Amino acid sequence: MCGIVGYVGPNDTVDVLINGLRRLEYRGYDSAGIAVVDEAGDLTVRKRSGKLARLEELLSESPVGEGHTGIGHTRWATHGGPTDANAHPHLGDNGKLALIHNGIVENFAELRAELEAAGVTLESETDTEVVAGILGREFARLGDLEAAFRAVVPRLHGTFTLLATHRDEPGKIVAARHHSPLVVGLGDGENFLGSDVAAFVSFTRRAVAVNEDNIAIITPDGVRVTDFAGAPVEYREFEVEWDAEAADKGGWSSFMAKEINEQPEAVANTVRGRIEGDHVVIPELEALGDDVLRGIDRIIIIACGTASYAGQVGAYAIEQWARIPVEVQLSHEFRYRDPVLSDRTMVISVSQSGETMDTLMAVKYAIERGVKTVSVCNTQSATIPRESDAAVYTHAGPEVAVASTKAFIAQITALYLIGLHLGRVRETLAPEDSAAAVAQFETLPEKVREAVETHDQIAQLAHWMADTRSVLFLGRHVGYPIALEGALKLKEIAYIHAEGFAAGELKHGPIALIDHGQPVFVLVPSPRTAPLMHSKIVSNIQEIRARGARVIAVVEKGDTSVLPYADDVIRLPLADALFEPLLQVVPLQWFALELSTAKGLDVDQPRNLAKSVTVE
Ligand code: F6R
């Protein structure tokens, strides 16, 4: 939510900032803007509502002089609509200071009143301009940007990453973080700041994750980090695992198409290094100690959106293999229900970004109550894994499209690995079951590749269904969360009403929705490995078909039982029932993408959304 980039160094600052904003645009695209201190010592701001391309147009009409210090922002609107005036950067100290912000300053009304009482005129509706005003006044009083930050940040309530530069201190950017992400990129004679490493990965892969309630000061020659009181803080450098190419669209029509195609590797890379013979061994869990893992009597998975559906799939497998009760809770509901927790509870958070505020707050709540926390995360050194007792990274590579695809598959994979690890340590998993699951993982990437190859069939289907106004998805057991995920994908990128149901629930109400021609995707479990569920779902298909539904059945190859009742059949490779979700979701992802494309929508940047939801 909001992308932030900062640069100090010898290169063309506008180019560096635009490159960073292009890679960060998935964090928000309501407006974009930059501020540059040029060689003449002037501070110039260019900003515009809409996507980054609109800012680029503005810059070509009205270029900015060469400079070596600059900040850039891409916005997901919170305070105030997506207008030019509300776009960041905002100015303080009579236009000499520029500030960008990710987060929400909750006490902005009181600060605004203070500024207005002092005769300061504000031009936007944003909380950010208020902070720029207050910071500007402190700079005027103290004559030092760092000191001004120290004076202002303790006064702000809410969440923020702030980056500011002042005309009178060229070659310096000061940044502070409180519950919002901030990373530093370390260069040679140049340094960078970003909301995530994508902001600077084209220029350097050496990075530092700034800790909570710290201030970072960058100049071309150095980086300093202090706490809010100004005491120096040591920092640790890490190497970004992927390069700029991994976050490029390559030749694909969209990031989402590219990421759907990368799913076989996402699975393979997440499994790699975690299998020993017929067993799963996750070094990060080993570090917690087997006694701790044996003592756990309950697991709560917390996550939001797609990640929560991965959690729901994972819960079935963890219960089956580790014989621990597992429940899945939405992060934003978790702490409000006064959950019953004990030192034998384990909370597993699932988050692609590792920065989702709702999930972070839930994890913090769990930590405060003495619960062991494990993070399943795709983003190196993000806040949630750093706060947790253990981090089990998914290795899906950078996910840029707002709609999650490869991260979802990698999250299910990681949760399954956790289930197998726990089952081994707790001796609840028979060796032959462990070996069977390991064998499934060995062939899974190839099967996911085959599922990806359903694309052309799905594209044809989507073409025929381009005018569809509502789609339903049915599944049982692990197929149920996949039905929910299929519906979510369609809603978020094709803006089509869609709902997912547990197939058994249908006759308790939703079957009333079935009318002539109503499209229903049905996820049919394997008749070989789940015969009982299979026969029940075939009955469900007959029930909806009798009421006029257009049935699109997703089956394993060779299953002919649904042919008499299905209008369309999508065939997937054979897998054990627990592993079928990793294949079934793929055609549903393609379906959403193709319908979105057919409607002429922006697949990667759907309206009103942002990839990383860093506000509650
Ligand atoms: C949907 C989607 C979201 C995210 C959710 C959690 O396609 O991507 O529902 O899954 O916002 O995000 P993370 O995983 O970053 O915590």
Side-chain angles (χ1 to χ4, degrees):
M1 217 144 258
C2 295
I4 279 183
V5 55
Y7 176 69
V8 279
N11 291 318
D12 182 344
T13 301
V14 174
D15 280 356
V16 176
L17 296 178
I18 295 294
N19 181 300
L21 290 180
R22 193 167 298 122
R23 294 189 183 283
L24 292 175
E25 202 180 12
Y26 67 87
R27 299 181 70 95
Y29 28 86
D30 287 332
S31 64
I34 58 169
V36 175
V37 182
D38 68 21
E39 279 175 338
D42 288 328
L43 175 70
T44 311
V45 171
R46 296 280 184 272
K47 57 183 186 172
R48 204 172 235 191
S49 61
K51 294 192 176 172
L52 183 61
R54 302 228 324 135
L55 173 67
E56 289 179 283
E57 272 166 34
L58 177 65
L59 285 166
S60 61
E61 289 155 19
S62 172
V64 172
E66 189 164 340
H68 302 292
T69 310
I71 57 179
H73 187 268
T74 176
R75 178 170 187 246
W76 187 83
T78 53
H79 280 81
T83 60
D84 288 352
N86 288 336
H88 299 210
H90 290 282
L91 296 172
D93 197 15
N94 297 314
K96 290 183 276 181
L97 173 147
L99 177 86
I100 53 179
H101 169 214
N102 171 21
I104 294 179
V105 173
E106 286 162 4
N107 58 331
F108 87 104
E110 163 198 320
L111 300 172
R112 188 178 181 107
E114 180 183 319
L115 281 178
E116 283 169 351
V120 178
T121 319
L122 296 165
E123 289 172 4
S124 78
E125 303 153 88
T126 63
D127 48 349
T128 309
E129 191 185 9
V130 171
V131 180
I134 299 276
L135 191 65
R137 281 164 62 80
E138 289 298 342
F139 186 95
R141 187 171 70 86
L142 300 162
D144 178 77
L145 189 54
E146 225 182 298
F149 258 75
R150 286 198 296 273
V152 168
V153 285
R155 299 189 59 201
L156 308 179
H157 304 163
T159 60
F160 52 83
T161 299
L162 299 168
L163 256 70
T165 185
H166 196 286
R167 200 189 71 172
D168 296 349
E169 293 188 12
K172 182 192 276 189
I173 300 172
V174 181
R177 74 159 284 190
H178 178 65
H179 295 316
S180 286
L182 176 64
V183 280
V184 177
L186 303 171
D188 192 8
E190 58 182 355
N191 285 304
F192 307 80
L193 288 158
S195 344
D196 63 57
V197 297
F200 48 72
V201 74
S202 305
F203 307 103
T204 180
R205 287 169 66 181
R206 292 170 52 216
V208 171
V210 177
N211 283 332
E212 185 63 3
D213 293 344
N214 278 185
I215 292 176
I217 305 102
I218 66 163
T219 59
D221 308 317
V223 171
R224 275 186 306 115
V225 179
T226 72
D227 63 16
F228 278 180
V233 169
E234 296 224 347
Y235 58 79
R236 240 191 23 215
E237 188 180 324
F238 70 94
E239 167 107 7
V240 180
E241 275 173 7
W242 44 275
D243 58 17
E245 218 175 283
D248 283 338
K249 214 190 280 182
W252 295 96
S253 55
S254 63
F255 277 107
M256 186 175 172
K258 173 179 179 252
E259 289 159 9
I260 292 175
N261 269 283
E262 287 170 343
Q263 293 186 111
E265 292 78 37
V267 172
N269 292 339
T270 301
V271 173
R272 185 165 301 121
R274 290 169 170 165
I275 290 188
E276 287 180 13
D278 284 344
H279 300 290
V280 168
V281 180
I282 304 178
E284 300 88 334
L285 288 188
E286 275 200 310
L288 285 180
D290 285 357
D291 285 347
V292 170
L293 301 184
R294 280 192 206 103
I296 286 159
D297 64 4
R298 179 168 169 235
I299 291 178
I300 305 175
I301 297 179
I302 49 173
C304 303
T306 289
S308 78
Y309 301 145
Q312 287 188 30
V313 177
Y316 287 97
I318 297 174
E319 280 195 345
Q320 179 164 325
W321 290 325
R323 307 311 302 158
I324 310 175
V326 186
E327 63 197 271
V328 183
Q329 293 187 18
L330 293 169
S331 316
H332 37 89
E333 291 290 319
F334 175 67
R335 63 189 167 132
Y336 299 107
R337 59 185 292 162
D338 190 11
V340 180
L341 303 168
S342 82
D343 57 1
R344 300 185 68 190
T345 310
M346 174 184 273
V347 160
I348 302 180
S349 64
V350 185
S351 175
Q352 188 286 129
S353 61
E355 300 291 350
T356 298
M357 183 57 71
D358 291 316
T359 306
L360 174 60
M361 288 305 170
V363 169
K364 288 190 169 178
Y365 180 94
I367 292 169
E368 277 162 23
R369 273 148 194 81
V371 167
K372 280 271 167 286
T373 50
V374 173
S375 151
V376 172
C377 181
N378 194 44
T379 308
Q380 242 180 311
S381 284
T383 309
I384 295 173
R386 284 195 293 135
E387 296 272 336
S388 303
D389 295 305
V392 178
Y393 280 103
T394 50
H395 296 292
E399 191 178 66
V400 178
V402 165
S404 186
T405 54
K406 63 176 180 172
F408 176 70
I409 272 200
Q411 285 160 352
I412 296 176
T413 304
L415 290 167
Y416 278 24
L417 293 170
I418 291 173
L420 292 165
H421 182 105
L422 291 175
R424 177 180 54 78
V425 171
R426 297 164 62 88
E427 298 174 15
T428 50
L429 178 66
E432 58 276 20
D433 290 342
S434 179
V438 165
Q440 289 287 309
F441 274 125
E442 273 160 12
T443 54
L444 198 58
E446 193 41 48
K447 290 176 184 169
V448 175
R449 168 67 54 216
E450 276 188 59
V452 168
E453 284 162 9
T454 58
H455 171 262
D456 291 355
Q457 181 192 0
I458 306 296
Q460 189 63 57
L461 189 66
H463 175 72
W464 291 328
M465 292 173 63
D467 296 331
T468 300
R469 296 170 64 93
S470 161
V471 181
L472 305 182
F473 295 83
L474 298 185
R476 260 177 200 270
H477 189 247
V478 281
Y480 170 41
I482 298 302
L484 296 173
E485 171 63 1
L488 176 60
K489 286 281 101 70
L490 208 51
K491 285 184 261 204
E492 76 181 315
I493 63 166
Y495 316 154
I496 290 175
H497 171 256
E499 283 196 66
F501 296 109
E505 192 63 10
L506 210 59
K507 41 190 168 302
H508 300 285
I511 198 162
L513 289 170
I514 306 289
D515 199 359
H516 183 71
Q518 169 67 52
V520 186
F521 276 79
V522 187
L523 304 166
V524 183
S526 160
R528 296 168 305 107
T529 59
L532 188 61
M533 276 197 295
H534 178 269
S535 63
K536 294 271 186 284
I537 218 149
V538 173
S539 304
N540 296 143
I541 291 179
Q542 291 171 17
E543 290 154 14
I544 56 170
R545 178 59 185 249
R547 288 161 178 82
R550 171 178 184 166
V551 175
I552 303 130
V554 181
V555 303
E556 73 169 23
K557 279 184 184 153
D559 179 2
T560 53
S561 59
V562 297
L563 292 185
Y565 323 109
D567 297 271
D568 299 281
V569 178
I570 299 161
R571 294 186 176 78
L572 295 172
L574 276 55
D576 283 358
L578 268 183
F579 287 83
E580 289 189 301
L582 293 137
L583 308 177
Q584 289 168 334
V585 73
V586 180
L588 308 191
Q589 297 165 340
W590 278 135
F591 184 67
L593 180 146
E594 289 298 334
L595 271 191
S596 171
T597 309
K599 291 178 75 175
L601 301 173
D602 186 335
V603 170
D604 289 331
Q605 296 182 343
R607 67 185 176 203
N608 305 338
L609 289 169
K611 182 130 192 92
S612 184
V613 185
T614 53
V615 293
E616 277 183 279

